[in-house]
Amino acid sequence: MIRCKNVNKNFSEKNVLSRIDFEISGGEIFGLLGPSGAGKTTLIRILTGQLAFDQGSVIVFDKDVSSLSGEEKKNIGIMMDQFGVYERLSCIDNLKIFADIYGVPHDRIKSILEQVGLGEAGAKPAATLSKGMRARLSLARVFMHSPRLIFLDEPTSGLDPQTMGQIHKIILEKKKEGCTIFLTTHNMEEAYKLCDRVALLHEGRIIESGAPEEICRKYNHQKTIKLHLASGEDIVIPHENGSAKMLYRLLSDGSIETIHSSEPTLETVFLELTGRKLEEGA
């Protein structure tokens, strides 16, 4: 669906993206993880043909991104911040504008609003919506023309856990429908839950990529198991054959309340590789 090869981008003398390489298959959720200022939004603008790059190649739908026709671009949906939300218009009128742009019948609006949980809010002006409802309206706008390739730039930033979970459910439903989703985030739990593969972006470079579980296992240097016993005691044992008898004994007599492996999170992997946390600003 997307092939990005050796892409570089400079703004004046500043190098923003350097040697960006990755491929995204159809029907997968690909996550780009990095703190603010890492180059995530710039890369989305390049992949969607909004911004020229200085070197490399970007192939979308098996064509150079710069040569995509207007009809082919209709297969792309983009959610970036509050882009495209008109404050003084109702939810329905917001979507009517985009329905007209893409040639979508207005009778599709009601079902799209229901799909994102705004079925009862159609007449409300966008300015009166909560942050979570505005995020859903942005998603509704993206879904209006049934794109095959969807770009979501920090779609749950600043949202409460309940609203975040609802939006995650919507994203996973779109994947089930066969959509390919490019997701940027600095939320490690979000990436681990949603993404088939991720790339860690630091100062304009991809420093690691792969399935979230594989990356975490790769950097599991400690290889230990932490046991919390019914007595209140915590025990840390090596993750090796020699610990099997002890673990079997404790399990057999019901002494173990919880077991945790030492696998790092994507957050701790990023911290190890860069010395900074994913949520840190530029």
Side-chain angles (χ1 to χ4, degrees), residues 227-235 255 257:
L227 311 176
H228 180 74
L229 306 184
S231 64
E233 182 183 4
D234 288 321
I235 298 176
S255 298
E257 285 196 347

Side-chain angles (χ1 to χ4, degrees), residues 195-214:
C195 298
D196 300 294
R197 292 186 302 119
V198 299
L200 307 184
L201 187 69
H202 176 59
E203 296 182 349
R205 291 177 179 267
I206 292 178
I207 56 174
E208 186 60 270
S209 63
E213 300 89 347
E214 292 174 355

Side-chain angles (χ1 to χ4, degrees), residues 177-219:
E177 293 174 10
C179 294
T180 303
I181 299 170
F182 185 100
L183 171 75
T184 73
T185 183
H186 60 254
N187 185 317
M188 173 275 300
E189 292 184 6
E190 178 170 76
Y192 200 94
K193 177 180 179 179
L194 296 179
C195 298
D196 300 294
R197 292 186 302 119
V198 299
L200 307 184
L201 187 69
H202 176 59
E203 296 182 349
R205 291 177 179 267
I206 292 178
I207 56 174
E208 186 60 270
S209 63
E213 300 89 347
E214 292 174 355
I215 292 176
C216 291
R217 286 195 296 268
K218 179 178 177 180
Y219 290 89

